[in-house]
Amino acid sequence: MGGGNPNVPDTSLPKLAPGPVGQQIHSIYRGRLGQFTSHGEYSSHNLQAAMYEGRASGGDHVKLQVYSPPGQDRPTFKAATSHEFKDTHVGASFGPSWSTHWVKVDLVVPEELRKKAHLEFHWDADNEGLIWTDDGEPLQGLTGGGERVEWILPDSFRDGESHTFYIEMACNGMFGNGMGDTIQPPDPNRYFQLRLADIVAVNLEARALYVDFWIIGDAAREFPENSWEEHQALQICNKIMDTFINNHGTQDSILQGREIAREYIGNVDSSKVYENEKEPHVYAVGHCHIDTCWLWPWAETKRKIARSWSNQCDLMDRYPEHRFTCSQAQQYKWLESLYPKLFDRVKSKVKEGTFQPVGGSWVEHDTNLPSGESLVRQFLYGQRYFESRFGERCKTFWLPDTFGYSSQLPQLCRLAGMGRFFTQKLSWNNINIFPHTTFNWVSLDGSQVLCHMAPDNTYTAAAHFGDVKRTISQHKSMDQDNTGLLVFGYGDGGGGPTFEMLEKLRRCRGMSDKTGLLPRVKMGDSVDDYFARLEKKAEKGTDFVTWYGELYLELHRGTYTSQANNKWNNRQSEILLHDIEYLATIATIKDSSYKYPKQTIDDMWEDVLLCQFHDCLPGSSIEMCYRDSDKLYAQVFKSGRELLKSALSTLQFGSNSTSRSPYISINTLPWPRAEIKKIPDSENEYALVHGGPGVASVETLSSANKSTASIEEVKDGVFHLSNAHFKIQVENGAITSLLDQAGDRELIPSGRKANQLVIFDDKPLYWQGWDTEVYHLRSREELAPSGKSQILEEGPHRVSLVTEHKISDKSWIKTVISLAASIENQPSYVEMASEVEWQESMKFLKVEFPVDIMNTEASYETQYGIVRRNTHYNTSWDMAKFEVCCHKWADLSENGYGVSILNDSKYGFATAGNLMRLSLLRAPKAPDAHADMGRHHIRYAILPHSGPLDHRTVRTARNFNHPFRLIDSSKHLSSPSPSQTPNSSPSTTKLLSSIRLTGSPALILDAIKRGEDDEDVSRGELPSRKGRSIIIRVYESLGGKARGVIEVDQDVLGVKKVEKCNLLEDEGEIVEEEKEGGRWKVELRAFEVATYRLQL
C-alpha cells in the first residue's frame, strides 16, 4: 500500500497547539469593513489618509476671480469673459437660485507637485459647473456636493507658469433648487458656498484599492452567507485591512493590498478584463437621462447637456470599453446650436461608435396625451434629425421614464423603422408587479416590437455590485433569455457615468471570471447589439411572451389632469397644425408662387413636440417650465394665425362666395358636417354652418326654421330643455332626466344626477403633481349651487341655462348647459361650458354622469384607436385603473344603446359600474406651488346614441374639437393679389375638396401635408425627391377591417401614382389605380395606421 515507515505520521500539522484560535464572529468582521474607507472618525488612519500625495490652494497657486451676470442671464463664453472680473475666494457664497457666475481660475502648480504622477484640480461649490479653456472650448462638467469634483490637469500645466481656465457656475444642484425636499417648489434664495478649489496630487494606487475594497466588500455583504465566495470575500477584505495597519499605511502596504485583492478579482487595471470568450449575462451601457425640463427650466437643460456629454467624451478617451447611449434629437440640436465645438467632438465619437444616439424621437415624450399625429411627428422629426446629422436612423425606441405607454406605440415604432423598445418605468407600479422583462409588445393592430425592461428597475444605476447582481436576480423572463441590460449613469438631472462606475464594473467582471457567483458583466456593446442578440434568438425559435395593448403605469395618474392650461394649449396646437398643413398644401396646388412654409411649420412642430416632453405636458414640472411653455405656445399660435391668413388669402377664400351672409367658414375635417353658431357681436342671431370638406355655407337662421329648441322653467329651479332628439330636466344645475324621445329611453337612473360637480380631497402618498391615489375617492363631496339657475338663451335655435356653484371662499364655477336645435342627419348632444375660478389646495374637481347602461367594459379614445377597460374591480389589475387616460371621448355602451362623453381638452376619466366621471382640475402644490391656479374654460358634452359605439362618436368628437368659426371676410382676409383673380380656375371649393376618402366610415383621413423632401419643399437636410407630392395619413378607428377609396380630382391635382409608405415617407408599395381614374382602393386592418404618397 505504499512505502515509508508506517510509524511516522504523514502530516505537517504541529504536534502541539501553539495557542487558542477563536472562530471569527462574522457580523463583527463584516461590520469592521466600513472603517477602512469611511470619512468618519478613522479617516486620518484609514485609506482616506493615503488618497492624496499633496495639495495646493490659495492665491499663490489658485487665484480666483468672478463675474456675476445680472438676474438669471446665462451669457455665452464670449460675452461673459468680455466683462471685468473681481477677486473671490474659497468660502465665498454665490446666488441666488438660478443665477450664473463665471469664475476665472489662474493656476500655478507648485514645484513640489510638478513631478507627481497624477494631478487634478478639485472644485466643489455644491452646484453644477462647466470648465472652459481660455479660448472658449467646453471641457468637462462638474456636479458638486462631493460628486464629480475632479478635473485631470494637462501635463502642460506642470511648467510652473500660470494657466487660465474658466468655470461657469450654475446656482442650482443636480436636481434644481427644491425647498427642503427635492420635488418641492424651488427656493428662490438659495446660495452656494465654494468649499474647495485645490490642486491635488492623487495616489492612483490608493484610489484603485479603494474601488477594489468597495466591490469585494459588497461581495462580503451581499453574497449568500452560506457561500464560500462570501466567506472568502470577507477574509480578503480583512487581510487587506490587516496589511495596511501592520505596515502603517505605507505605499507598499497599498500595493500589497492590491495584490491581495487580485486573489479575488484578478487584474482589473485595464479594459483587457473584458477580453475573453466567457459568456456574459449582463450588458452594461452608459446613459445620461436628462429631463428636458423638470425641476429646472429649458435654459438650464441646455447647459446640463454640455456638462454631461463633455464628461462622457472625456471618459471615452480614458476607458476604451465605455459606450454611452443618449436619446432626444432636441438635445442634440441644442448642443449643435449652442456648443458647436462640443457637438463636433460628439459627432466624432458617434462615428467611432462609442457615443450612440438612440430613441428616434424628438424628445422622450409623454405617450398618453399627445395625438396620434403628434406621436408620428416625434418619430418623423427625431429620425430625420439623426439621419441628417449622423447618417443613420435609430433602430431602438428608448423611453425609460414616461408615465405609461400608449397601445399604438408598437405600430408607430415599426412604421418609423424601429422594431425594438427599451423602458423600465412599469417597475414603479404601486399595486401590481409587471410580470415580464423581455417580451413582444403587441399594438392594437397586431404590430409588435421586442421590448426589454431593465431588470435592475432603473435607468440611472450607479454600477454597484448590487446593480449587476439584480440584473439577473430580478429578471422575470429567464425561461426565454438569461441576459439583461444594465443602464448606468447619473440621470434625470444629468451627469451620466463616472470614472468610479467604470472602475467598479471592471472589478465586477474580474470577480465573475476569477471567483464566480456574480453574473458576468460585459462592456463595449451597444443597445442595438443587445437587441440584435435577442432577435437572433427569436429567429432560432425562442418564443418570447406577448403583452397586448397599453402598458398602463399604476402610478402618476394625476398627470392626465395636472396643468390644465398646458394641456389645452397642446390640443389647440395640434388642431392648428392640422389645419395649416391642409390649407398650405392646397395653396401650393392653387398657386405655384406660393411657397409651402416648411421652415415655420417645422419650427411650430418642434416647439409643440418639445412641450410634449414627459414632465412638461403631463404637468409635473416647476412653475418656470410652464412660463417657458406658455411663451412657446404663444409663438406657435401667432405663427399659426399668420400662416392661416397667408394660405387662405392664396386660396382666395371667400372672394367668390355666393353666400348672402357677410360671414364665411371652412370645414377642415374630411366629412360634411353642420353646426348652429351664434353670430358674433349679436344678441340673438344665429347661423347654420354646413358643408365641406373645405368651404362651408353660412345661412342666417330665422324663427321660421322647422327644427327648434325650447326651454321653460316648469317649477321653481326646475327647467325643461328640449329639441327634436332630447327632453332634458335640470334641477340645481344637475341633469335629473335625459330622455331620448325617438327611442323613448331615459338615460339617467332614477334618483341620480348627471353633470353633477364633485370635489375630492387629493393628497397622494408623495408625488403631488403626479399622483392621485385610490383613497381620494372616499372623500367625495357634491357641489351645491350658490344661487338659482338662469336662462341665457331661449331659442328657437339654441337654449341654455347657467348655474353657479361656490367651491370655497376663493373658488367658483359657472356652468352653461346648452342644447341646439336638431340638425338633420347630425347627432345631437347636450353641451356644457364651464368658467372656473380655481384657487384650491390639494383638491380634485370632477363631473359625474351616471347612465342607465350596463357593461363590464368602457371604451376610450386613444391615438388612432380605442382602448377598452373594465368597469369593475374584480382584480387588483382592474382596481389599479381607477383613473385612466382618454382623448376626445369616452363611451359606455350596451347592446343597442350607449352614451359618449366628449371633451375639448381633458384627458383624465373613470368609469366605475355605470358611473362615468370626467376629471376637470387638480390643485397640487409641488413641484409647482401655483399649478392650475386661476381662470379656466372647459367644454364637454353628453352624446347619447342608439346602436353601438361607431363612427358617429368618433366624428362628433372631432367636430366638437374643431368648432366652426365665423369669419367676417371684410375684416379678416387679405385681398387677392392681381395674379389671383376671383375667376381663376380651379375654384377654392373644388380645391379644398379635391382629396377625398370614401367607403367605410370607420376610416379617418387624419392628415394632409406636403412630402418632406419634395424639391419645392425640402430644406436640404436630406436628399430631395423629384417632383411634388402630397402625404395623407389614414387610420381605421373602430377595430375592424375596413375598405375605402382615395379619390382625387385629377383635373386639379394630376396624381401620377399613389404608394403606401411608412411614417418616414420612404419609397413604398404602389397602390393600383382604378380603371375610371383618380380612384385608388385601400384596405386597412383593425386600427391600422397607413400613410400614402400622392405623387403629382
Side-chain angles (χ1 to χ4, degrees), residues 267-276 318-323 502-503 506 509 523-524:
N267 188 338
V268 294
D269 289 343
S270 76
S271 61
K272 291 181 180 180
V273 69
Y274 298 106
E275 295 176 4
N276 62 54
R318 295 155 56 193
Y319 293 86
E321 72 270 29
H322 184 34
R323 300 293 180 270
L502 296 167
E503 293 286 353
R506 285 181 175 181
R509 174 57 183 256
M523 288 199 67

Side-chain angles (χ1 to χ4, degrees), residues 763-907:
K763 297 185 180 73
L765 297 174
Y766 179 62
W767 303 92
Q768 279 196 52
W770 296 256
D771 284 355
T772 187
E773 286 298 349
V774 64
Y775 53 75
H776 86 277
L777 297 171
R778 299 163 65 97
S779 63
R780 176 183 179 275
E781 178 184 349
E782 292 186 3
L783 293 182
S786 53
K788 185 179 176 181
S789 300
Q790 302 290 327
I791 295 174
L792 286 184
E793 296 170 289
E794 299 184 89
H797 311 300
R798 188 168 64 198
V799 294
S800 62
L801 182 72
V802 62
T803 307
E804 182 170 348
H805 293 77
K806 182 179 180 182
I807 299 171
S808 69
D809 291 340
K810 296 180 180 179
S811 303
W812 50 262
I813 178 169
K814 292 179 182 177
T815 302
V816 176
I817 301 175
S818 62
L819 184 66
S822 299
I823 302 172
E824 189 175 357
N825 298 321
Q826 187 90 5
S828 188
Y829 53 77
V830 184
E831 179 176 347
M832 276 66 66
S834 296
E835 181 182 10
V836 190
E837 178 61 28
W838 184 246
Q839 299 293 342
E840 295 305 291
S841 178
M842 303 179 198
K843 297 293 182 182
F844 201 158
L845 180 66
K846 306 185 185 189
V847 60
E848 294 180 342
F849 307 93
V851 292
D852 190 15
I853 300 289
M854 177 63 187
N855 200 328
T856 56
E857 283 187 339
S859 300
Y860 304 85
E861 187 189 40
T862 188
Q863 300 96 340
Y864 299 129
I866 298 170
V867 176
R868 293 181 172 89
R869 304 178 177 109
N870 289 335
T871 61
H872 54 70
Y873 295 156
N874 282 4
T875 70
S876 59
W877 293 87
D878 298 323
M879 189 189 72
K881 296 180 181 179
F882 62 85
E883 181 85 1
V884 297
C885 183
C886 76
H887 278 229
K888 294 180 286 296
W889 56 264
D891 182 86
L892 184 64
S893 292
E894 62 186 22
N895 183 40
Y897 208 93
V899 174
S900 301
I901 305 298
L902 318 179
N903 75 82
D904 76 338
S905 61
K906 298 301 169 187
Y907 297 89

Side-chain angles (χ1 to χ4, degrees), residues 1053-1064:
L1053 297 179
V1055 174
K1056 297 177 182 177
K1057 66 175 180 178
V1058 172
E1059 58 182 323
K1060 187 177 183 181
C1061 55
N1062 59 18
L1063 303 184
L1064 306 182

Side-chain angles (χ1 to χ4, degrees), residues 389-431:
R389 277 19 177 226
F390 307 117
E392 289 186 10
R393 296 170 178 172
C394 299
K395 299 175 183 177
T396 302
F397 184 33
W398 181 274
L399 205 59
D401 191 31
T402 292
F403 312 148
Y405 302 90
S406 165
S407 51
Q408 284 287 47
L409 279 177
Q411 179 181 187
L412 300 182
C413 284
R414 296 307 292 258
L415 291 171
M418 295 180 286
R420 306 155 176 177
F421 177 47
F422 173 82
T423 186
Q424 65 81 47
K425 197 65 177 185
L426 265 63
S427 66
W428 284 45
N429 280 4
N430 70 346
I431 295 179

Side-chain angles (χ1 to χ4, degrees), residues 587-860:
T588 62
I589 306 302
K590 171 73 173 177
D591 185 348
S592 60
S593 68
Y594 173 84
K595 175 72 174 174
Y596 189 76
K598 190 169 193 307
Q599 172 77 62
T600 307
I601 289 174
D602 285 350
D603 291 344
M604 292 172 67
W605 264 119
E606 288 178 10
D607 285 346
V608 171
L609 299 177
L610 170 59
C611 291
Q612 290 171 352
F613 177 74
H614 68 252
D615 275 308
C616 185
L617 182 55
S620 49
S621 291
I622 60 173
E623 187 174 6
M624 295 173 75
C625 298
Y626 296 106
R627 293 186 200 143
D628 288 345
S629 65
D630 284 348
K631 292 176 184 176
L632 279 191
Y633 281 125
Q635 181 58 50
V636 166
F637 296 141
K638 181 176 182 291
S639 298
R641 287 191 296 270
E642 293 170 354
L643 292 188
L644 283 176
K645 187 174 182 179
S646 173
L648 290 172
S649 176
T650 298
L651 291 167
Q652 303 167 38
F653 181 64
S655 63
N656 52 4
S657 172
T658 59
S659 173
R660 297 177 183 176
S661 170
Y663 294 95
I664 55 175
S665 193
I666 188 167
N667 178 10
T668 57
L669 294 180
W671 47 73
R673 59 189 176 113
E675 183 182 349
I676 293 175
K677 298 289 294 184
K678 189 173 185 179
I679 294 177
D681 303 321
S682 71
E683 289 189 9
N684 198 30
E685 293 184 63
Y686 296 82
L688 176 65
V689 187
H690 61 97
V695 177
S697 299
V698 180
E699 298 178 15
T700 303
L701 294 175
S702 69
S703 58
N705 283 81
K706 294 179 182 179
S707 181
T708 61
S710 64
I711 185 170
E712 66 173 319
E713 186 172 11
V714 295
K715 59 181 178 180
D716 190 35
V718 180
F719 298 84
H720 283 178
L721 294 73
S722 64
N723 65 10
H725 283 103
F726 304 123
K727 186 174 182 179
I728 306 164
Q729 180 168 290
V730 178
E731 295 184 52
N732 296 321
I735 298 172
T736 55
S737 173
L738 175 49
L739 179 67
D740 181 336
Q741 300 192 93
D744 191 25
R745 174 147 186 169
E746 175 58 60
L747 299 178
I748 310 301
S750 178
R752 305 288 293 278
K753 294 177 288 186
N755 194 44
Q756 175 62 60
L757 294 163
V758 288
I759 196 164
F760 300 84
D761 190 69
D762 190 23
K763 297 185 180 73
L765 297 174
Y766 179 62
W767 303 92
Q768 279 196 52
W770 296 256
D771 284 355
T772 187
E773 286 298 349
V774 64
Y775 53 75
H776 86 277
L777 297 171
R778 299 163 65 97
S779 63
R780 176 183 179 275
E781 178 184 349
E782 292 186 3
L783 293 182
S786 53
K788 185 179 176 181
S789 300
Q790 302 290 327
I791 295 174
L792 286 184
E793 296 170 289
E794 299 184 89
H797 311 300
R798 188 168 64 198
V799 294
S800 62
L801 182 72
V802 62
T803 307
E804 182 170 348
H805 293 77
K806 182 179 180 182
I807 299 171
S808 69
D809 291 340
K810 296 180 180 179
S811 303
W812 50 262
I813 178 169
K814 292 179 182 177
T815 302
V816 176
I817 301 175
S818 62
L819 184 66
S822 299
I823 302 172
E824 189 175 357
N825 298 321
Q826 187 90 5
S828 188
Y829 53 77
V830 184
E831 179 176 347
M832 276 66 66
S834 296
E835 181 182 10
V836 190
E837 178 61 28
W838 184 246
Q839 299 293 342
E840 295 305 291
S841 178
M842 303 179 198
K843 297 293 182 182
F844 201 158
L845 180 66
K846 306 185 185 189
V847 60
E848 294 180 342
F849 307 93
V851 292
D852 190 15
I853 300 289
M854 177 63 187
N855 200 328
T856 56
E857 283 187 339
S859 300
Y860 304 85

